[in-house]
Amino acid sequence: MAETQSSVKEVIPDIGGNFALDEGVIEVLPLGSRVLEASSFGTSAWTRTARIRVQLSDGSSKQYFLKCATEGGEVMMEGEFNSMTELHKLAPSFVPQPHAWGKFRLASPTTHFFLCDFIDMENEMPDPVAFCARLAEIHLNSQSPTGQFGFAVPNCHGKIVQANNWDPSWTSYFTKLLDSFFQIEIGINGPWPEYEQAFKVIMKTVVPQLLDPLQADGRVLKPSLVHGDLWEENAAINLSTGEPVVFDASAFYAHNEYELGTWRREIIKFGRSHFNQYFRNIPPSEPVEQWDDRIRLYSLKFNLAHMIGWPGAPFVREEYVSFYGTFKTSRLTKEG
């Protein structure tokens, strides 16, 4: 029996190191392919990544991008494969073509992988006009297979599992999504009564106040396929075409404005020009006067993901308290 690798770090070494490609990956390559080189490439917070060069049966060469993970790897890799597959169907030049996901044969602990086309990229902010036009095309042209909000399989925002169970109500779906991230965050960072009280009120009052109107008074809210984690680390420029490209998706069918929630965070480089360009393609949903508040609400979920992945950032909890304070003041003013 062949030796197993003791960890994912031995399966794919540090940046620049070559390694023997696992049989589980070789099996999903095109028939007749010959592996020329497999080397670690790039960095990732939760996974190991590599570039694979192969010679195809017709003598031509091709490069693939490999990502693998151990703990939680099955949900993570299957979820990304399905996310990228659905996005690629709608925008093949905007999303690298996914090829497979699977399990390493010789790795211990158990290691799963995701394989897609390798694209030479420049890690620069893409042009807002082209980028937002492509993104809007996905939002406009996608169709939920059930007509509901959710996704066919669980996937991961970073390393956090999103259940993605189908739900006809966007308010209900987002409430469950936000609460699941909150419970994980509290478990990691510990209690803070003021923050917990603010979250409780936001869930009970603010979420329905902002989201219920989207599906009220005869309005129909289309579930749109979203990338799900669209910030500058998951977008780049394709060096071969000069066009924008996105990756590392945690897709599901959502209110299209949810996609912009992460852009509302102060530490994110996507800004006013991207909002303006996006809304030139898809105007804000009705009620229009609530669009900024909705996107601020959506940003809270991305803030929770940040606190889970990088514990100890107090500004995230302070934003919840501030958001609660904004609506408390507004409500008192109206009642006065």
Side-chain angles (χ1 to χ4, degrees), residues 170 211 255 258 294-302:
W170 173 239
L211 302 189
H255 177 206
Y258 169 86
R294 288 193 299 263
I295 291 174
R296 188 178 177 191
L297 172 65
Y298 297 151
S299 76
L300 299 182
K301 186 264 190 177
F302 295 95

Side-chain angles (χ1 to χ4, degrees), residues 93-94 119-120 134 236-245:
S93 65
F94 192 48
I119 295 178
D120 280 319
R134 294 288 180 84
I237 298 171
N238 185 328
L239 288 175
S240 297
T241 65
E243 295 295 319
V245 62

Side-chain angles (χ1 to χ4, degrees), residues 169-184:
S169 165
W170 173 239
T171 301
S172 171
Y173 181 90
F174 183 76
T175 297
K176 290 181 287 188
L177 181 67
L178 194 64
D179 185 61
S180 67
F181 275 62
F182 176 77
Q183 299 303 330
I184 296 170

Side-chain angles (χ1 to χ4, degrees), residues 275-295:
F275 279 108
N276 291 341
Q277 288 299 327
Y278 181 84
F279 287 132
R280 286 179 181 175
N281 291 278
I282 306 178
S285 300
E286 295 286 351
V288 174
E289 64 273 13
Q290 291 185 326
W291 79 263
D292 188 56
D293 288 331
R294 288 193 299 263
I295 291 174

Side-chain angles (χ1 to χ4, degrees), residues 32 45 85 124 129 139-140 182 191 196 200 208 259 276 282 285 298 304 320:
T85 297
E124 297 290 337
V129 176
H139 293 169
L140 289 169
F182 176 77
E196 293 173 70
K200 182 178 179 180
E259 190 87 277
N276 291 341
I282 306 178
S285 300
Y298 297 151
L304 284 174
Y320 271 82

Side-chain angles (χ1 to χ4, degrees), residues 138-179:
I138 293 175
H139 293 169
L140 289 169
N141 296 331
S142 54
Q143 294 291 331
S144 167
T146 66
Q148 300 183 7
F149 302 96
F151 199 58
V153 299
N155 55 22
C156 294
H157 182 156
K159 60 180 179 180
I160 314 152
V161 177
Q162 300 180 142
N164 292 333
N165 297 323
W166 296 109
D167 196 317
S169 165
W170 173 239
T171 301
S172 171
Y173 181 90
F174 183 76
T175 297
K176 290 181 287 188
L177 181 67
L178 194 64
D179 185 61

Side-chain angles (χ1 to χ4, degrees), residues 17 43 51 60 66 80 82 119 144 159 199 218 223 229 256 261-262 266 277 279 281 294 297 314 327 329:
T43 58
R51 174 168 54 185
S60 64
L66 176 71
E80 182 165 354
N82 282 276
I119 295 178
S144 167
K159 60 180 179 180
F199 181 82
D229 190 16
N256 63 291
T262 192
E266 292 184 2
Q277 288 299 327
F279 287 132
N281 291 278
R294 288 193 299 263
L297 172 65
F327 275 83
T329 301

